[in-house]
Amino acid sequence: MSILKVKNLFKSYGKIEVLKNFSLDIDSTEFVSLLGPSGCGKTTVLKIISGFISPDKGTVFIEDIDVSNTPPEKRNTAMCFQSYALFPHLTVEDNIKFGLYEKKIPKNKSKDLFEEAIEHLSLSQELGKYPNELSGGQQQRVALGRALVTRPKIILFDEPLSNLDAILRGTVRNEIKRIQSEFKLTAIYVTHDQSEALSISDRVLLMKEGEINQIDTPEKIYDNPISYFSASFVGISNIHHFKNPKKLENNFIEVDTNVGKLKLFYKNNLTDKNIYVSWRPEKAEVGEQRENTLFGRIKSIAFQGAFTELEVAIKNIKIKIITQKRGFKINEEIKFGIKPENLLVLEQS
Amino acid sequence: MLAKYLFIILCLIPGLGIILALIGFVTYIVIMQSIGLNNLFGEDEFTIKFWDKIFARKSYNRSVRYSLYIGTFSTIFSILIAYPIALWLRKPFRGSLFISSILKAPLLVHGLVAAFLFLNVIEYHGLVNQLLQYLNFTDQPIRMRNDRNAFGVLFLQTWKNMPFALLLLAGALQSISDDTLDAARDLGASLYRRFIDIIIPLTISAMTAAAIIIFIGAFADFTFQKIAGPRNTFSLSQLMVEYRGRGKWNEAATVGVTLIVLSFFGAVLVAFIINKLFKYPGWLSPVKMKNIKSIITRQK
């Protein structure tokens, strides 16, 4: 059941259009990430949902109630800020209890809610401490506890891990996911970090210049990017401009690219927008291959433990290959192939 | 370790040392003279007769009450007016810098000049009276100078001190991040609750500093009182100068000690009250409205 409906949002700051006809439906208990580069409008969407920003046009429905003109303090949403925004003059306990008091939740109920929150977040040892006495991870947990203790309908995360170091980021990310599923929360998570979005979400909404570029499950976003932008922003892709597409039998087509002729499987009709073909570096099969066989010279080798990253030059065009094979040498000529079904046709945008 | 502390003390002596020495000498002399020692004229003899005399005088007690009245209300009015203005100017907007500069201008005007300017406004033939007559509110000019309730002095003190409170409060308010206020709002806090539960506790240091400094300055006011204050009551400073003018140095010293002691305890009390009332959000404050109400009801 859809808990949040955002319809046809438009928002401009002066002459800059931040959101252009943005619409979104989110189901109850779903975890959706808004992924995109800085300035693409993802935080604006979050702030419109929470009520801190009013859209120029468009409506926001929470549980089928139009909350477009409802102030943030009266919306049943809770936000986890990038800066945590903990109240420095209050202890951990009072920070978490803040919402319970402000929303005038009865004492008996608020006691249960508070105890449940601190138990799930393992904060019982920190209750008497002030925010400046906590580590980044602990502060994030307090911010999370403060947001979820009042049981909001939707919890909104605004790049909550960006102030943490790489190791802590992974731990807190898993914790957010665990808490979200334990409390059965509906979550919207803003990030520009693709690995965060892919690992934590039920669905990823990829944004570009105020518009939705692609919305799908993390697997589909990665395996089937529809545009040049999604293929290049999510993961690593080798992308080639193509021309002279020729229809072959059984939905195969052959195209001319800067690395040579490539045969690919494509069921749909090509349009004027379909001008790129892409493939993921791990789809290259180094060694024997009958179709789409390419020859290149290794320019760099980066051994990563479980796999090796190769940078290979074909006619001065550099491409990336990820393989589990080892024993390569710089300037060695290698042969590799890509199965036609692993080659994807992309739209220009 | 000793050498390190000695070095720090030596470094501080040229600045802090001189200040402490000057304060110390003056305090010492005034206390000693109030008990008959270190006299400028005549023999030294330890006595508390000057204190006995001064406590017995109605004019002294009236001056204490008057100075406390001016100190307290000037502080309250200055802070009450400065808070909303500081909140309004918290986020820059077109013209905010200009408005802020204009509001802070009284800091650059000397108290004596301000008092004379004020007199021109409220004098018998001043601007206010002319306006009132023009609007037919009165046939005759009204006497507003040297009013019994010292509203003129309170006005001048507030006019002079509000910019100082504004300066401190604006800095403190600007240091509160938007996220902090948004977080409170997101958690259900209304505008009033955000002010009481977040803004005031986070600006309490600035408020306390402003209140203490304004209180001490207004409590020891001489200039505004001399020019615009009531004629039948002296402020403590005025009383002190009056005694000195009559050559009564020991009585003047007792008034001086009163000023020092009451300024100190007044400042401590101001800080204590502000911290008790505003340090915590409403729901955590040890002083609750219902407690105050019950105390008032009991007293009745």
Side-chain angles (χ1 to χ4, degrees), chain A residues 71-107:
Chain A
E73 59 268 31
K74 293 192 176 156
R75 292 190 188 192
N76 203 352
T77 59
M79 179 105 123
C80 274
F81 292 83
Q82 188 176 1
S83 61
Y84 316 133
L86 297 178
F87 307 126
H89 60 300
L90 299 181
T91 59
V92 168
E93 180 174 348
D94 295 331
N95 261 284
I96 295 173
K97 282 181 175 172
F98 191 92
L100 296 170
Y101 282 104
E102 298 295 350
K103 291 191 172 171
K104 294 186 175 66
I105 292 171
K107 272 190 180 170

Side-chain angles (χ1 to χ4, degrees), chain B residues 115-136:
Chain B
F116 276 112
L117 289 173
F118 178 65
L119 284 187
N120 278 310
V121 176
I122 62 157
E123 259 302 6
Y124 213 60
H125 298 294
L127 289 174
V128 175
N129 266 322
Q130 282 185 28
L131 183 72
L132 289 175
Q133 282 178 285
Y134 175 76
L135 296 171
N136 285 330

Side-chain angles (χ1 to χ4, degrees), chain B residues 28-29 32-47 49-50 250:
Chain B
Y28 168 78
I29 287 289
M32 294 312 252
Q33 286 188 352
S34 75
I35 52 172
L37 302 171
N38 281 91
N39 288 325
L40 288 177
F41 309 105
E43 293 290 309
D44 288 352
E45 184 196 359
F46 175 77
T47 177
K49 69 177 180 187
F50 303 112
N250 299 95

Side-chain angles (χ1 to χ4, degrees), chain A residues 52 71-73 77-79 81 83 85 87-90 94 98-99 101-103 146, chain B residues 179-180 182-190 193-194 197-198 201-202 279 281 283-284:
Chain A
F52 291 117
E73 59 268 31
T77 59
M79 179 105 123
F81 292 83
S83 61
F87 307 126
H89 60 300
L90 299 181
D94 295 331
F98 191 92
Y101 282 104
E102 298 295 350
K103 291 191 172 171
R146 189 180 65 175
Chain B
D179 278 357
T180 305
D182 283 349
R185 198 174 181 197
D186 196 48
L187 292 164
S190 62
R193 300 267 19 135
R194 291 199 293 282
D197 296 344
I198 303 294
L202 288 180
K279 192 176 178 184
W283 40 271
L284 282 175

Side-chain angles (χ1 to χ4, degrees), chain B residues 3-63:
Chain B
K4 189 182 159 191
Y5 281 118
L6 206 63
F7 176 72
I8 293 169
I9 289 165
L10 282 171
C11 287
L12 287 171
I13 279 175
L16 193 62
I18 290 170
I19 294 169
L20 288 175
L22 288 173
I23 292 172
F25 294 151
V26 172
T27 311
Y28 168 78
I29 287 289
V30 84
I31 290 171
M32 294 312 252
Q33 286 188 352
S34 75
I35 52 172
L37 302 171
N38 281 91
N39 288 325
L40 288 177
F41 309 105
E43 293 290 309
D44 288 352
E45 184 196 359
F46 175 77
T47 177
I48 54 164
K49 69 177 180 187
F50 303 112
W51 285 103
D52 276 345
K53 267 200 248 175
I54 205 113
F55 280 142
R57 281 195 183 131
K58 277 184 184 170
S59 60
Y60 169 79
N61 291 315
R62 209 162 48 231
S63 293

